[in-house]
Amino acid sequence: MKNFEFSQLKPKVQEFLNNEIPLYINGEYQKASSNASFEVLDPSTGKQIATASEANETDVNLAVQAARNAFDNGEWTQMPAQERSNILYEFARLLKAHREELAELESIDSGKVYETALADDIDGTIQQFEYYAGFATQISGKTTQISNDLVAYTLHEPIGVVGQIIPWNFPLLMASWKLGAALAVGCTIVIKPAMETPLSLLYAAQLFKEAGFPDGVVNIVPGPGRTVGEALTNHTDVDKLAFTGSTAVGTGVMKNAAEQIKNVTLELGGKSPAIVLDDADLEETIEGVYNGTMYNHGQNCSACTRVYVQRNVYEDVIEKLKQRASEVQVGPSMDPNSDMGPLISERQQQRVLDYIDKGKEEGAKLLCGGNKVHDAGYYVEPTIFVDVEDDMTIAREEIFGPVMVVFVFDEVDEVINRANDSEYGLASSVWTQNIKNGHYISNKLKAGTVWINTVGQELETMPFGGYKQSGIGREMGGEYGIQSYTEVKSVMINID
Ligand code: NAP
Ligand code: MG
């Protein structure tokens, strides 16, 4: 087990980590008004890797004021769409020039292995900005033909100052989902990264300036949800909130939004099903189902962790899943031999281990894994439970860790009902070579995303969001994401 030496990090990363990492308000890096700071930890070791300034309510007020001014002075909102597009595209180009620095920061801050951070998080972020750069010139309303003497059309205007709250599981990527569409339409933003993972977004702050965003268009305020998050969600000058995180906190965000009838988008939790029919291509299915749960160490809102396997292939599938899990090397995120890194925090590790204990207590059978590994850092082995009953805690609650629960089923309609029996409805996946069955099941599943013979693809071209308690609204997907950040104005002109 080998973690990185500080001296092996890129010089720009070392320089960034060596100084207290400031907030970013009104186009400037600046210290927190209270001078408070917090420790940034590497979950692979539990050791501190940096110190970051900690915002408070005063800083949120300053950031919102900057965003308000930048919105109201019109430089950004009234800028020709092509110029806004160019700035977004330039930002994507700069991210590309810094992709390895950003991947190092993402890896050591969040615990995901470096190659994944590079290919999925950072390159995914770049793609998101490139895509929405192109969308800045695609925003249009419609003209309606009422009568010869009435001209009637709609305008899609930027909604205003947006407060965005980001989780720690995909720090820069989740920020890009929110920033891309909001910036393309001309909104201004105050964004709060999670305390566990502030580094990548704060490093990228300098690139906003360099790309040419006017001051105040993007403001970054790292700090605790209970202070900074609350100040943002309660602020009377914030017009819209976009939140990704737990359903519990999302409920509070929505309550605060209700006080001022703020528009809100929520991307919340999930307990998504994977349905394996007995005609599935098993090799492809095992890889898909395994990754569908274990990707990002299970810390993934759309993880398909409830795996329903048709009886004929059940024994075969669980044997192969066990074999697949046994091949995985769990270790530090910067060690090239690691397939899977640590969980984000000691708290998250404990939460996952508690769920594993609960699974055993309630009578589920542990097929493999179940333990923490290594002395330092927050590691948990890939864990699979079989003989799981539908009402067990591990079958119903989101664990947000590398824990798969496997059920057996007989009939297609039976499994559809069981898959839908959840308070969540974020995603789902179906594995079958019979496309008619796949299509039938897909129509019946109550989930914002259905993957058939694939899993985990979250494309900027496709809307992403949840049914039921998994959320409200959609992100990405071109105009779907754009709609979240626009107000529609109806204009009628009498030309009689
Ligand atoms: P969390 O507590 O909901 O945190 C998410 C974000 O909300 C963090 O930035 C957090 O700040 C902030 N926050 C906390 N309390 C707040 C408040 N009162 N007002 C405003 N913001 C507040 O989530 P977590 O427990 O860290 O993460 C795990 C959960 O997030 C999982 O249950 C998972 O379902 C969910 N999640 C969902 C998605 C999705 O796309 N649907 C993605 C990732 C995670 P701090 O910096 O203080 O933590
Ligand atoms: Mg960290």
Side-chain angles (χ1 to χ4, degrees), residues 166 168-169 192 195 225 230 244-246 267-269 301 398 400:
I166 309 295
W168 41 257
N169 57 346
K192 186 196 102 56
M195 291 288 270
E230 290 282 337
T244 298
S246 60
E267 299 282 0
L268 307 175
C301 53
E398 182 179 52
F400 227 61

Side-chain angles (χ1 to χ4, degrees), residues 402-474:
V403 183
M404 181 192 294
V405 295
V406 190
F407 313 81
V408 63
F409 77 92
D410 292 296
E411 302 295 333
V412 165
D413 286 313
E414 166 212 337
V415 79
I416 292 169
N417 286 334
R418 291 169 67 190
N420 282 335
D421 179 20
S422 169
E423 65 200 32
Y424 295 115
L426 193 56
S428 55
S429 95
V430 183
W431 299 85
T432 176
Q433 294 190 59
N434 179 336
I435 197 62
K436 197 172 163 192
N437 266 343
H439 187 246
Y440 174 78
I441 296 171
S442 143
N443 282 342
K444 298 256 176 182
L445 286 173
K446 295 191 176 75
T449 295
V450 181
W451 289 293
I452 301 181
N453 295 331
T454 182
V455 73
Q457 283 171 324
E458 287 158 12
L459 307 175
E460 56 278 3
T461 48
M462 294 295 284
F464 182 82
Y467 284 28
K468 300 193 263 183
Q469 291 184 35
S470 288
I472 293 182
R474 294 293 179 270

Side-chain angles (χ1 to χ4, degrees), residues 261-458:
I261 317 293
K262 278 195 197 20
N263 195 301
V264 49
T265 305
L266 302 173
E267 299 282 0
L268 307 175
K271 186 76 180 174
S272 298
I275 299 174
V276 180
L277 300 191
D278 58 11
D279 65 356
D281 171 332
L282 279 198
E283 202 178 318
E284 193 180 272
T285 302
I286 297 304
E287 195 55 26
V289 164
Y290 180 82
N291 287 320
T293 297
M294 303 298 176
Y295 179 67
N296 208 39
H297 329 158
Q299 302 168 126
N300 178 9
C301 53
S302 60
C304 292
T305 52
R306 286 188 288 144
V307 178
Y308 296 87
V309 184
Q310 205 157 18
R311 194 172 300 275
N312 285 344
V313 289
Y314 180 75
E315 291 301 332
D316 199 8
V317 166
I318 62 175
E319 203 39 53
K320 289 190 161 89
L321 283 170
K322 184 178 174 183
Q323 173 61 32
R324 177 65 181 81
S326 72
E327 292 161 5
V328 172
Q329 286 284 341
V330 180
S333 64
M334 292 293 282
D335 183 339
N337 296 318
S338 301
D339 303 309
M340 176 170 149
L343 299 188
I344 190 68
S345 62
E346 196 170 0
R347 176 174 152 252
Q348 191 68 11
Q349 182 192 41
Q350 196 50 54
R351 193 178 118 101
V352 171
L353 292 170
D354 288 347
Y355 272 114
I356 292 171
D357 285 345
K358 191 93 182 160
K360 291 191 234 167
E361 264 167 50
E362 291 184 2
K365 185 174 150 202
L366 191 61
L367 181 73
C368 61
N371 301 306
K372 63 176 176 181
V373 283
H374 307 313
D375 294 335
Y378 314 128
Y379 304 89
V380 174
E381 293 174 304
T383 298
I384 302 177
F385 279 103
V386 293
D387 296 348
V388 180
E389 302 290 337
D390 292 3
D391 58 355
M392 289 178 179
T393 307
I394 55 167
R396 306 208 66 82
E397 295 185 12
E398 182 179 52
I399 299 174
F400 227 61
V403 183
M404 181 192 294
V405 295
V406 190
F407 313 81
V408 63
F409 77 92
D410 292 296
E411 302 295 333
V412 165
D413 286 313
E414 166 212 337
V415 79
I416 292 169
N417 286 334
R418 291 169 67 190
N420 282 335
D421 179 20
S422 169
E423 65 200 32
Y424 295 115
L426 193 56
S428 55
S429 95
V430 183
W431 299 85
T432 176
Q433 294 190 59
N434 179 336
I435 197 62
K436 197 172 163 192
N437 266 343
H439 187 246
Y440 174 78
I441 296 171
S442 143
N443 282 342
K444 298 256 176 182
L445 286 173
K446 295 191 176 75
T449 295
V450 181
W451 289 293
I452 301 181
N453 295 331
T454 182
V455 73
Q457 283 171 324
E458 287 158 12

